[in-house]
Amino acid sequence: MRRAVISGTGSALPMRRVSNAELAETVDTSDEWIVERTGIRFRYIAGPDETTGTLAADAARAALTAAGKAADDVDLIVLATATPDQTFPATATKVQAMLGIDDCVAFDVGAVCSGFLYAIQVADSLIKTGAANCALVIGAETFSRILDWEDRTTCVLFGDGAGAVVLEARDVAEDGPGILASRLHADGRHNELLYVDGGPSTTGTVGKVRMKGREVFRHAVTNLASVMDESLVAAGLVPGDVDWVVPHQANARILDATARKLGLAAEKVVVTVDQHANTSAASVPLALDTAMRDGRIKPGQIVVLEAMGGGFTWGAAVVRI
Ligand code: UT7
């Protein structure tokens, strides 16, 4: 059967790493509060020459190398971001140009923190129909540019970065590798719980992130446990079959609570929120690349990717590596 197989991963982080203590010099917060409430210790902040596009291109190059593919092999780029370099054109086309690809399909997907899950399902679908054979699926963000650095309830939570995977069409056996199932959801009634207070068509400005964290937390645990369960059922698997969960890295307490709800051991959850903070659409592919490169995730293993974010939007994908 024709499946979309993850044949390589890559990631990229800005040069500058910022600790909680460094933030506490300019914001009314403390290392103790941030670690206890979120698990975050560090985040990376993009410098003036680092953009969503440059980070995405670096992550994409690393993923192509890992997959043993040349840029010319790519016929599709789907880039998930809420912080594009420009309102238009799509940052995916900037990445295409930076990689030196003359012609391919390239567009952005906007689903904030769930963007990578949305992008994976879009690319998987295009591969299954035969419209694409080799896709770069990227999550990349520079959330530092849309943070209100005077709002301690949000600015300590986010960071910048990018992650990418190469998704390749392959004919595989039933028990072979590839994306086995994915499920997506959105509920637009919750706009006011997590949003940016600006945009091209409303204020004509970029705006800043606003969040009612406690309420988002509550929805996140319920929705994530439910969509993970739904995708496992779609893949014909049960929680006991899962080797690794690679979750959206918003808060260590959300990761714990979600794993507990599904009866999954905490040791099966890949955690990078301590090092990267919440990088929105970049967080799942960044965490995936981390666990692929350090050898935790091995060929043949079952991995569940999941995320929830502004909209609300949420989703999960079950993959055999
Ligand atoms: O990526 C998209 C999805 N996003 C999420 O999943 C985020 C979900 N939400 C969360 O992760 C958590 O709700 C937060 C980390 C945002 C907040 O943690 P919390 O335990 O829900 O704290 P809280 O909002 O209830 O605030 C508790 C207290 C408040 O003080 P009072 O009102 O009790 O006096 C806040 O003002 O902590 C205070 N506070 C801070 N104190 C020090 C809020 N931010 C800070 C801060 N430093 N940075």
Side-chain angles (χ1 to χ4, degrees), residues 29 33 37-38 113 152 156 213-214 248 250-251 253-254 278:
T29 190
W33 189 95
R37 299 292 177 122
T38 72
C113 299
R152 68 174 184 172
V156 305
R214 209 177 309 177
H248 172 48
N251 185 323
R253 289 187 293 140
I254 296 180
N278 181 347

Side-chain angles (χ1 to χ4, degrees), residues 125-150:
S125 305
L126 289 171
I127 284 174
K128 281 197 182 120
T129 64
N133 287 305
C134 180
L136 266 173
V137 186
I138 308 169
E141 303 276 16
T142 43
F143 250 55
S144 62
R145 312 275 212 252
I146 56 164
L147 292 175
D148 175 352
W149 286 99
E150 289 179 1

